[in-house]
Structure formats: C-alpha cells, structure tokens
Amino acid sequence: MNKYKAVIFDMDGVLVDTEQFYAQRREEFFSSHNIPIHHMRHSDFIGGNMREIWSQILGVDFDHEEAEVLQAAYLELKDKKPLPYKELLFPDVKDVLESLRADKFKIGLASSSAMQEIEEMLDIHGLRPYFESILSGNDLKATKPHPEIYQLSMKALEVKAEETLIIEDSEKGITAGKAAGATVWAIKDTRFGMDQSAADAWFPDLTAVKEALEGTQ
C-alpha cells in the first residue's frame, strides 16, 4: 500500500512551461521603467508573488507608493500580455493525472499565480475535474515560501503531512512544502539556476515522477 494518499502540484514549471515567458515579460517591464534587475536572480522571481519582492528589486528603503504604482502597472501588462497556456502544457500532464486518479490518489493544485490564471489554464486543457482542491497563494496573506498554501491544501484534501507528496520546481515552493511537513519531489531545473537541494528527490519530468510513485506502492 502506498504511504502517500495525496499528491499536490505546483502549476508553473510543473504542469505548464511558463517560466521563460514570465522572464521575457519581466525583462520588458523593468526595461521600459528603467529599473535595473541585474542584481536579481531568476529564481528570486520564481514560485512567489511580485508584491512580496519589491524590497529586493528597489532596495530596502524603497518607496511603498512607488511600488504600488509599479505593481499596478505590472498587472496591467499581464492583462495585455497573458500567458499562452494553450501552447505551454507539458505533454505528459494528462497521462500522469489520469494515472493518479485511477490509483485513487487525492489530487491538489497549489500555485502562487492568481486564481483567474489558474482557472484559465485548467479550463483550456480540461484539467479541472482531476483536482479536488485548487488554491491560489495570491489570495493568502503570505504565499510561498510560507507553508500556508500547502497546509490549507492538505486540510482541504483531509490528509496528514506524512501522507502527502508535493511536486515543485522553485526554491520558494520547495521551502514551503518542506515547512508544511510533506515530502517534496522536484522537477529538475536546467535553465534558471534554482537551488533545489532542499527537495527529497529530483526528476526530469512528471512521467518519471509517476514511475517513481508507482515504485513506492
């Protein structure tokens, strides 16, 4: 019998290959506002929410009103240049979700993206029926690396931390999952220099995750 009863997925970089699009859109935004971000790592942006890192972008003594104006401008750009979710789904996602459902796992989604974006991705690809819990960190007081989103997801799925497997890619997400007490498997990053060392295991794709999970039964 498998020790895991639930599998909770991050979205960006795990279900959909969005990180390169995000990076290009950020570069465009900050360049147009003459704000240097050369001191930032790609991984500083991945897995969390822009609203929480303005102090890193602008400096610790940043002007909060300026940050609010920039945040609003960034959200406007996001509306003008939405993610092309139709083109970005990793090819093995549906097969993996179908297999997990057939094996009676509870399945959750816990993403730092806005709920509108999460729902758009799920509906475009017809994935919503697979998930028993769908949470957006954008709706919480603190998103990843804070563990709340995973704690709430486990509560919604009615499972304990030791019964939960989280699939992540970002440093912030891995930190959140481990802080929530769950096992965290990472999809290996080969492009953005993310430190994934805190994960419990690493896999090239979701198919490899599925095969490893079958091996724990």
Side-chain angles (χ1 to χ4, degrees), residues 11 15-16 85 89 93-94 97 109 115-131 133-135:
M11 183 174 79
L15 301 180
V16 281
Y85 283 121
L89 188 75
V93 169
K94 286 189 177 181
L97 292 174
L109 178 58
M115 183 59 78
Q116 180 181 346
E117 295 174 339
I118 296 169
E119 291 179 340
E120 179 184 354
M121 187 283 290
L122 293 174
D123 290 341
I124 284 174
H125 295 290
L127 300 179
R128 193 189 288 257
Y130 291 103
F131 295 95
S133 171
I134 300 167
L135 295 177

PDB file of all heavy atoms in Angstrom, residues 11 15-16 85 89 93-94 97 109 115-131 133-135:
ATOM      1  N   MET A  11       1.925  24.736 -10.137  1.00  0.00           N
ATOM      2  CA  MET A  11       1.491  24.866 -11.525  1.00  0.00           C
ATOM      3  C   MET A  11       2.628  25.274 -12.464  1.00  0.00           C
ATOM      4  O   MET A  11       3.027  24.525 -13.355  1.00  0.00           O
ATOM      5  CB  MET A  11       0.336  25.872 -11.648  1.00  0.00           C
ATOM      6  CG  MET A  11      -0.203  25.981 -13.079  1.00  0.00           C
ATOM      7  SD  MET A  11      -1.676  27.040 -13.233  1.00  0.00           S
ATOM      8  CE  MET A  11      -0.937  28.682 -13.207  1.00  0.00           C
ATOM      9  N   LEU A  15       3.302  21.891 -14.270  1.00  0.00           N
ATOM     10  CA  LEU A  15       2.256  21.495 -15.215  1.00  0.00           C
ATOM     11  C   LEU A  15       2.378  22.235 -16.542  1.00  0.00           C
ATOM     12  O   LEU A  15       2.083  21.675 -17.609  1.00  0.00           O
ATOM     13  CB  LEU A  15       0.868  21.760 -14.612  1.00  0.00           C
ATOM     14  CG  LEU A  15       0.537  21.048 -13.299  1.00  0.00           C
ATOM     15  CD1 LEU A  15      -0.871  21.420 -12.846  1.00  0.00           C
ATOM     16  CD2 LEU A  15       0.679  19.538 -13.443  1.00  0.00           C
ATOM     17  N   VAL A  16       2.781  23.488 -16.470  1.00  0.00           N
ATOM     18  CA  VAL A  16       2.922  24.315 -17.670  1.00  0.00           C
ATOM     19  C   VAL A  16       4.298  24.976 -17.707  1.00  0.00           C
ATOM     20  O   VAL A  16       4.808  25.426 -16.686  1.00  0.00           O
ATOM     21  CB  VAL A  16       1.813  25.392 -17.758  1.00  0.00           C
ATOM     22  CG1 VAL A  16       0.515  24.805 -18.266  1.00  0.00           C
ATOM     23  CG2 VAL A  16       1.590  26.065 -16.408  1.00  0.00           C
ATOM     24  N   TYR A  85      -1.395  29.790 -22.462  1.00  0.00           N
ATOM     25  CA  TYR A  85      -1.479  28.488 -21.797  1.00  0.00           C
ATOM     26  C   TYR A  85      -1.725  27.332 -22.768  1.00  0.00           C
ATOM     27  O   TYR A  85      -1.283  26.211 -22.533  1.00  0.00           O
ATOM     28  CB  TYR A  85      -2.594  28.508 -20.751  1.00  0.00           C
ATOM     29  CG  TYR A  85      -2.227  29.228 -19.482  1.00  0.00           C
ATOM     30  CD1 TYR A  85      -2.975  30.320 -19.040  1.00  0.00           C
ATOM     31  CD2 TYR A  85      -1.145  28.821 -18.707  1.00  0.00           C
ATOM     32  CE1 TYR A  85      -2.649  30.979 -17.863  1.00  0.00           C
ATOM     33  CE2 TYR A  85      -0.813  29.482 -17.528  1.00  0.00           C
ATOM     34  CZ  TYR A  85      -1.565  30.553 -17.119  1.00  0.00           C
ATOM     35  OH  TYR A  85      -1.240  31.213 -15.968  1.00  0.00           O
ATOM     36  N   LEU A  89       1.360  23.544 -21.956  1.00  0.00           N
ATOM     37  CA  LEU A  89       1.167  22.370 -21.109  1.00  0.00           C
ATOM     38  C   LEU A  89       2.243  21.326 -21.413  1.00  0.00           C
ATOM     39  O   LEU A  89       2.510  21.004 -22.572  1.00  0.00           O
ATOM     40  CB  LEU A  89      -0.211  21.754 -21.354  1.00  0.00           C
ATOM     41  CG  LEU A  89      -0.617  20.633 -20.396  1.00  0.00           C
ATOM     42  CD1 LEU A  89      -1.002  21.208 -19.037  1.00  0.00           C
ATOM     43  CD2 LEU A  89      -1.799  19.834 -20.980  1.00  0.00           C
ATOM     44  N   VAL A  93       1.221  15.654 -18.834  1.00  0.00           N
ATOM     45  CA  VAL A  93       0.399  16.042 -17.685  1.00  0.00           C
ATOM     46  C   VAL A  93      -0.893  15.227 -17.587  1.00  0.00           C
ATOM     47  O   VAL A  93      -1.212  14.655 -16.532  1.00  0.00           O
ATOM     48  CB  VAL A  93       0.079  17.554 -17.717  1.00  0.00           C
ATOM     49  CG1 VAL A  93      -0.993  17.901 -16.681  1.00  0.00           C
ATOM     50  CG2 VAL A  93       1.330  18.371 -17.471  1.00  0.00           C
ATOM     51  N   LYS A  94      -1.635  15.143 -18.673  1.00  0.00           N
ATOM     52  CA  LYS A  94      -2.929  14.442 -18.613  1.00  0.00           C
ATOM     53  C   LYS A  94      -2.745  12.964 -18.307  1.00  0.00           C
ATOM     54  O   LYS A  94      -3.519  12.378 -17.534  1.00  0.00           O
ATOM     55  CB  LYS A  94      -3.696  14.631 -19.926  1.00  0.00           C
ATOM     56  CG  LYS A  94      -4.277  16.027 -20.085  1.00  0.00           C
ATOM     57  CD  LYS A  94      -5.207  16.111 -21.285  1.00  0.00           C
ATOM     58  CE  LYS A  94      -5.840  17.486 -21.379  1.00  0.00           C
ATOM     59  NZ  LYS A  94      -6.770  17.604 -22.529  1.00  0.00           N
ATOM     60  N   LEU A  97      -1.983  12.677 -14.528  1.00  0.00           N
ATOM     61  CA  LEU A  97      -3.167  12.932 -13.711  1.00  0.00           C
ATOM     62  C   LEU A  97      -4.176  11.793 -13.815  1.00  0.00           C
ATOM     63  O   LEU A  97      -4.789  11.395 -12.816  1.00  0.00           O
ATOM     64  CB  LEU A  97      -3.817  14.260 -14.121  1.00  0.00           C
ATOM     65  CG  LEU A  97      -3.023  15.529 -13.807  1.00  0.00           C
ATOM     66  CD1 LEU A  97      -3.726  16.749 -14.392  1.00  0.00           C
ATOM     67  CD2 LEU A  97      -2.829  15.697 -12.301  1.00  0.00           C
ATOM     68  N   LEU A 109      -3.943  21.241  -6.290  1.00  0.00           N
ATOM     69  CA  LEU A 109      -3.139  22.230  -7.019  1.00  0.00           C
ATOM     70  C   LEU A 109      -2.949  23.425  -6.101  1.00  0.00           C
ATOM     71  O   LEU A 109      -3.924  23.962  -5.549  1.00  0.00           O
ATOM     72  CB  LEU A 109      -3.849  22.651  -8.307  1.00  0.00           C
ATOM     73  CG  LEU A 109      -3.168  23.719  -9.180  1.00  0.00           C
ATOM     74  CD1 LEU A 109      -1.784  23.263  -9.606  1.00  0.00           C
ATOM     75  CD2 LEU A 109      -4.014  24.028 -10.411  1.00  0.00           C
ATOM     76  N   MET A 115      -5.873  33.208  -9.070  1.00  0.00           N
ATOM     77  CA  MET A 115      -6.872  32.176  -9.316  1.00  0.00           C
ATOM     78  C   MET A 115      -7.426  32.260 -10.741  1.00  0.00           C
ATOM     79  O   MET A 115      -7.698  31.233 -11.376  1.00  0.00           O
ATOM     80  CB  MET A 115      -8.005  32.277  -8.296  1.00  0.00           C
ATOM     81  CG  MET A 115      -9.051  31.175  -8.435  1.00  0.00           C
ATOM     82  SD  MET A 115      -8.364  29.488  -8.241  1.00  0.00           S
ATOM     83  CE  MET A 115      -8.227  29.404  -6.446  1.00  0.00           C
ATOM     84  N   GLN A 116      -7.579  33.465 -11.255  1.00  0.00           N
ATOM     85  CA  GLN A 116      -8.079  33.630 -12.622  1.00  0.00           C
ATOM     86  C   GLN A 116      -7.166  32.925 -13.624  1.00  0.00           C
ATOM     87  O   GLN A 116      -7.634  32.275 -14.565  1.00  0.00           O
ATOM     88  CB  GLN A 116      -8.182  35.119 -12.963  1.00  0.00           C
ATOM     89  CG  GLN A 116      -8.693  35.391 -14.376  1.00  0.00           C
ATOM     90  CD  GLN A 116      -8.763  36.882 -14.672  1.00  0.00           C
ATOM     91  OE1 GLN A 116      -8.689  37.724 -13.778  1.00  0.00           O
ATOM     92  NE2 GLN A 116      -8.907  37.234 -15.939  1.00  0.00           N
ATOM     93  N   GLU A 117      -5.849  33.043 -13.421  1.00  0.00           N
ATOM     94  CA  GLU A 117      -4.893  32.401 -14.318  1.00  0.00           C
ATOM     95  C   GLU A 117      -4.911  30.885 -14.141  1.00  0.00           C
ATOM     96  O   GLU A 117      -4.824  30.134 -15.115  1.00  0.00           O
ATOM     97  CB  GLU A 117      -3.497  32.953 -14.060  1.00  0.00           C
ATOM     98  CG  GLU A 117      -3.354  34.428 -14.405  1.00  0.00           C
ATOM     99  CD  GLU A 117      -2.006  35.003 -14.004  1.00  0.00           C
ATOM    100  OE1 GLU A 117      -1.340  34.404 -13.128  1.00  0.00           O
ATOM    101  OE2 GLU A 117      -1.610  36.020 -14.577  1.00  0.00           O
ATOM    102  N   ILE A 118      -5.012  30.436 -12.902  1.00  0.00           N
ATOM    103  CA  ILE A 118      -5.084  29.005 -12.633  1.00  0.00           C
ATOM    104  C   ILE A 118      -6.303  28.399 -13.322  1.00  0.00           C
ATOM    105  O   ILE A 118      -6.215  27.376 -14.012  1.00  0.00           O
ATOM    106  CB  ILE A 118      -5.152  28.744 -11.116  1.00  0.00           C
ATOM    107  CG1 ILE A 118      -3.866  29.203 -10.428  1.00  0.00           C
ATOM    108  CG2 ILE A 118      -5.401  27.262 -10.837  1.00  0.00           C
ATOM    109  CD1 ILE A 118      -3.962  29.219  -8.914  1.00  0.00           C
ATOM    110  N   GLU A 119      -7.444  29.037 -13.146  1.00  0.00           N
ATOM    111  CA  GLU A 119      -8.680  28.521 -13.729  1.00  0.00           C
ATOM    112  C   GLU A 119      -8.640  28.556 -15.250  1.00  0.00           C
ATOM    113  O   GLU A 119      -9.153  27.647 -15.918  1.00  0.00           O
ATOM    114  CB  GLU A 119      -9.865  29.314 -13.198  1.00  0.00           C
ATOM    115  CG  GLU A 119     -10.128  29.067 -11.706  1.00  0.00           C
ATOM    116  CD  GLU A 119     -11.277  29.868 -11.163  1.00  0.00           C
ATOM    117  OE1 GLU A 119     -11.637  30.888 -11.792  1.00  0.00           O
ATOM    118  OE2 GLU A 119     -11.831  29.477 -10.111  1.00  0.00           O
ATOM    119  N   GLU A 120      -8.020  29.597 -15.804  1.00  0.00           N
ATOM    120  CA  GLU A 120      -7.887  29.685 -17.263  1.00  0.00           C
ATOM    121  C   GLU A 120      -7.083  28.500 -17.792  1.00  0.00           C
ATOM    122  O   GLU A 120      -7.472  27.849 -18.771  1.00  0.00           O
ATOM    123  CB  GLU A 120      -7.197  30.996 -17.649  1.00  0.00           C
ATOM    124  CG  GLU A 120      -6.994  31.157 -19.153  1.00  0.00           C
ATOM    125  CD  GLU A 120      -6.223  32.412 -19.504  1.00  0.00           C
ATOM    126  OE1 GLU A 120      -5.937  33.226 -18.598  1.00  0.00           O
ATOM    127  OE2 GLU A 120      -5.882  32.572 -20.690  1.00  0.00           O
ATOM    128  N   MET A 121      -5.952  28.213 -17.148  1.00  0.00           N
ATOM    129  CA  MET A 121      -5.115  27.093 -17.581  1.00  0.00           C
ATOM    130  C   MET A 121      -5.879  25.777 -17.486  1.00  0.00           C
ATOM    131  O   MET A 121      -5.875  24.966 -18.418  1.00  0.00           O
ATOM    132  CB  MET A 121      -3.847  27.044 -16.733  1.00  0.00           C
ATOM    133  CG  MET A 121      -2.802  26.017 -17.212  1.00  0.00           C
ATOM    134  SD  MET A 121      -3.138  24.278 -16.796  1.00  0.00           S
ATOM    135  CE  MET A 121      -2.875  24.314 -15.003  1.00  0.00           C
ATOM    136  N   LEU A 122      -6.554  25.568 -16.356  1.00  0.00           N
ATOM    137  CA  LEU A 122      -7.287  24.317 -16.155  1.00  0.00           C
ATOM    138  C   LEU A 122      -8.397  24.147 -17.180  1.00  0.00           C
ATOM    139  O   LEU A 122      -8.598  23.041 -17.719  1.00  0.00           O
ATOM    140  CB  LEU A 122      -7.874  24.278 -14.742  1.00  0.00           C
ATOM    141  CG  LEU A 122      -6.869  24.202 -13.588  1.00  0.00           C
ATOM    142  CD1 LEU A 122      -7.596  24.322 -12.254  1.00  0.00           C
ATOM    143  CD2 LEU A 122      -6.060  22.912 -13.637  1.00  0.00           C
ATOM    144  N   ASP A 123      -9.117  25.218 -17.472  1.00  0.00           N
ATOM    145  CA  ASP A 123     -10.241  25.120 -18.400  1.00  0.00           C
ATOM    146  C   ASP A 123      -9.781  24.942 -19.845  1.00  0.00           C
ATOM    147  O   ASP A 123     -10.401  24.195 -20.617  1.00  0.00           O
ATOM    148  CB  ASP A 123     -11.128  26.360 -18.269  1.00  0.00           C
ATOM    149  CG  ASP A 123     -11.890  26.393 -16.947  1.00  0.00           C
ATOM    150  OD1 ASP A 123     -12.016  25.327 -16.315  1.00  0.00           O
ATOM    151  OD2 ASP A 123     -12.332  27.484 -16.546  1.00  0.00           O
ATOM    152  N   ILE A 124      -8.707  25.616 -20.224  1.00  0.00           N
ATOM    153  CA  ILE A 124      -8.182  25.471 -21.588  1.00  0.00           C
ATOM    154  C   ILE A 124      -7.819  24.014 -21.874  1.00  0.00           C
ATOM    155  O   ILE A 124      -8.062  23.496 -22.965  1.00  0.00           O
ATOM    156  CB  ILE A 124      -6.954  26.390 -21.800  1.00  0.00           C
ATOM    157  CG1 ILE A 124      -7.396  27.848 -21.967  1.00  0.00           C
ATOM    158  CG2 ILE A 124      -6.140  25.945 -23.028  1.00  0.00           C
ATOM    159  CD1 ILE A 124      -6.251  28.832 -22.033  1.00  0.00           C
ATOM    160  N   HIS A 125      -7.254  23.354 -20.868  1.00  0.00           N
ATOM    161  CA  HIS A 125      -6.781  21.984 -21.068  1.00  0.00           C
ATOM    162  C   HIS A 125      -7.716  20.920 -20.488  1.00  0.00           C
ATOM    163  O   HIS A 125      -7.397  19.731 -20.535  1.00  0.00           O
ATOM    164  CB  HIS A 125      -5.384  21.830 -20.463  1.00  0.00           C
ATOM    165  CG  HIS A 125      -4.352  22.656 -21.152  1.00  0.00           C
ATOM    166  ND1 HIS A 125      -3.908  22.382 -22.428  1.00  0.00           N
ATOM    167  CD2 HIS A 125      -3.688  23.780 -20.763  1.00  0.00           C
ATOM    168  CE1 HIS A 125      -3.010  23.283 -22.795  1.00  0.00           C
ATOM    169  NE2 HIS A 125      -2.861  24.147 -21.809  1.00  0.00           N
ATOM    170  N   GLY A 126      -8.857  21.336 -19.959  1.00  0.00           N
ATOM    171  CA  GLY A 126      -9.825  20.384 -19.438  1.00  0.00           C
ATOM    172  C   GLY A 126      -9.319  19.603 -18.231  1.00  0.00           C
ATOM    173  O   GLY A 126      -9.648  18.433 -18.043  1.00  0.00           O
ATOM    174  N   LEU A 127      -8.545  20.264 -17.377  1.00  0.00           N
ATOM    175  CA  LEU A 127      -7.919  19.582 -16.248  1.00  0.00           C
ATOM    176  C   LEU A 127      -8.657  19.746 -14.922  1.00  0.00           C
ATOM    177  O   LEU A 127      -8.363  19.050 -13.952  1.00  0.00           O
ATOM    178  CB  LEU A 127      -6.479  20.093 -16.063  1.00  0.00           C
ATOM    179  CG  LEU A 127      -5.519  19.903 -17.231  1.00  0.00           C
ATOM    180  CD1 LEU A 127      -4.153  20.480 -16.870  1.00  0.00           C
ATOM    181  CD2 LEU A 127      -5.401  18.440 -17.626  1.00  0.00           C
ATOM    182  N   ARG A 128      -9.608  20.644 -14.866  1.00  0.00           N
ATOM    183  CA  ARG A 128     -10.255  20.951 -13.587  1.00  0.00           C
ATOM    184  C   ARG A 128     -10.826  19.716 -12.874  1.00  0.00           C
ATOM    185  O   ARG A 128     -10.694  19.593 -11.649  1.00  0.00           O
ATOM    186  CB  ARG A 128     -11.359  22.003 -13.805  1.00  0.00           C
ATOM    187  CG  ARG A 128     -11.865  22.616 -12.513  1.00  0.00           C
ATOM    188  CD  ARG A 128     -13.090  23.477 -12.790  1.00  0.00           C
ATOM    189  NE  ARG A 128     -12.745  24.703 -13.481  1.00  0.00           N
ATOM    190  CZ  ARG A 128     -12.678  25.902 -12.902  1.00  0.00           C
ATOM    191  NH1 ARG A 128     -12.907  26.011 -11.613  1.00  0.00           N
ATOM    192  NH2 ARG A 128     -12.396  26.964 -13.605  1.00  0.00           N
ATOM    193  N   PRO A 129     -11.449  18.761 -13.592  1.00  0.00           N
ATOM    194  CA  PRO A 129     -12.042  17.607 -12.893  1.00  0.00           C
ATOM    195  C   PRO A 129     -11.040  16.737 -12.133  1.00  0.00           C
ATOM    196  O   PRO A 129     -11.447  15.968 -11.253  1.00  0.00           O
ATOM    197  CB  PRO A 129     -12.690  16.814 -14.038  1.00  0.00           C
ATOM    198  CG  PRO A 129     -12.931  17.818 -15.114  1.00  0.00           C
ATOM    199  CD  PRO A 129     -11.781  18.749 -15.035  1.00  0.00           C
ATOM    200  N   TYR A 130      -9.774  16.838 -12.448  1.00  0.00           N
ATOM    201  CA  TYR A 130      -8.782  15.995 -11.774  1.00  0.00           C
ATOM    202  C   TYR A 130      -8.475  16.473 -10.353  1.00  0.00           C
ATOM    203  O   TYR A 130      -7.991  15.691  -9.533  1.00  0.00           O
ATOM    204  CB  TYR A 130      -7.474  15.972 -12.565  1.00  0.00           C
ATOM    205  CG  TYR A 130      -7.553  15.243 -13.888  1.00  0.00           C
ATOM    206  CD1 TYR A 130      -7.643  15.945 -15.082  1.00  0.00           C
ATOM    207  CD2 TYR A 130      -7.536  13.849 -13.929  1.00  0.00           C
ATOM    208  CE1 TYR A 130      -7.706  15.278 -16.300  1.00  0.00           C
ATOM    209  CE2 TYR A 130      -7.609  13.169 -15.145  1.00  0.00           C
ATOM    210  CZ  TYR A 130      -7.685  13.897 -16.328  1.00  0.00           C
ATOM    211  OH  TYR A 130      -7.760  13.235 -17.528  1.00  0.00           O
ATOM    212  N   PHE A 131      -8.747  17.735 -10.059  1.00  0.00           N
ATOM    213  CA  PHE A 131      -8.291  18.327  -8.805  1.00  0.00           C
ATOM    214  C   PHE A 131      -9.429  18.471  -7.794  1.00  0.00           C
ATOM    215  O   PHE A 131     -10.452  19.088  -8.071  1.00  0.00           O
ATOM    216  CB  PHE A 131      -7.656  19.695  -9.072  1.00  0.00           C
ATOM    217  CG  PHE A 131      -6.400  19.608  -9.895  1.00  0.00           C
ATOM    218  CD1 PHE A 131      -6.441  19.775 -11.275  1.00  0.00           C
ATOM    219  CD2 PHE A 131      -5.179  19.341  -9.295  1.00  0.00           C
ATOM    220  CE1 PHE A 131      -5.290  19.679 -12.043  1.00  0.00           C
ATOM    221  CE2 PHE A 131      -4.018  19.245 -10.043  1.00  0.00           C
ATOM    222  CZ  PHE A 131      -4.073  19.414 -11.423  1.00  0.00           C
ATOM    223  N   SER A 133      -8.801  19.924  -4.823  1.00  0.00           N
ATOM    224  CA  SER A 133      -8.524  21.198  -4.156  1.00  0.00           C
ATOM    225  C   SER A 133      -7.681  22.064  -5.086  1.00  0.00           C
ATOM    226  O   SER A 133      -6.691  21.586  -5.658  1.00  0.00           O
ATOM    227  CB  SER A 133      -7.766  20.962  -2.845  1.00  0.00           C
ATOM    228  OG  SER A 133      -7.314  22.186  -2.295  1.00  0.00           O
ATOM    229  N   ILE A 134      -8.091  23.322  -5.250  1.00  0.00           N
ATOM    230  CA  ILE A 134      -7.363  24.275  -6.104  1.00  0.00           C
ATOM    231  C   ILE A 134      -7.189  25.555  -5.297  1.00  0.00           C
ATOM    232  O   ILE A 134      -8.171  26.209  -4.927  1.00  0.00           O
ATOM    233  CB  ILE A 134      -8.136  24.576  -7.408  1.00  0.00           C
ATOM    234  CG1 ILE A 134      -8.358  23.289  -8.207  1.00  0.00           C
ATOM    235  CG2 ILE A 134      -7.392  25.617  -8.247  1.00  0.00           C
ATOM    236  CD1 ILE A 134      -9.367  23.435  -9.346  1.00  0.00           C
ATOM    237  N   LEU A 135      -5.946  25.922  -5.004  1.00  0.00           N
ATOM    238  CA  LEU A 135      -5.673  27.097  -4.184  1.00  0.00           C
ATOM    239  C   LEU A 135      -4.704  28.049  -4.872  1.00  0.00           C
ATOM    240  O   LEU A 135      -3.769  27.627  -5.548  1.00  0.00           O
ATOM    241  CB  LEU A 135      -5.081  26.682  -2.839  1.00  0.00           C
ATOM    242  CG  LEU A 135      -5.971  25.879  -1.893  1.00  0.00           C
ATOM    243  CD1 LEU A 135      -5.193  25.493  -0.645  1.00  0.00           C
ATOM    244  CD2 LEU A 135      -7.207  26.671  -1.510  1.00  0.00           C
TER     245      LEU A 135
END
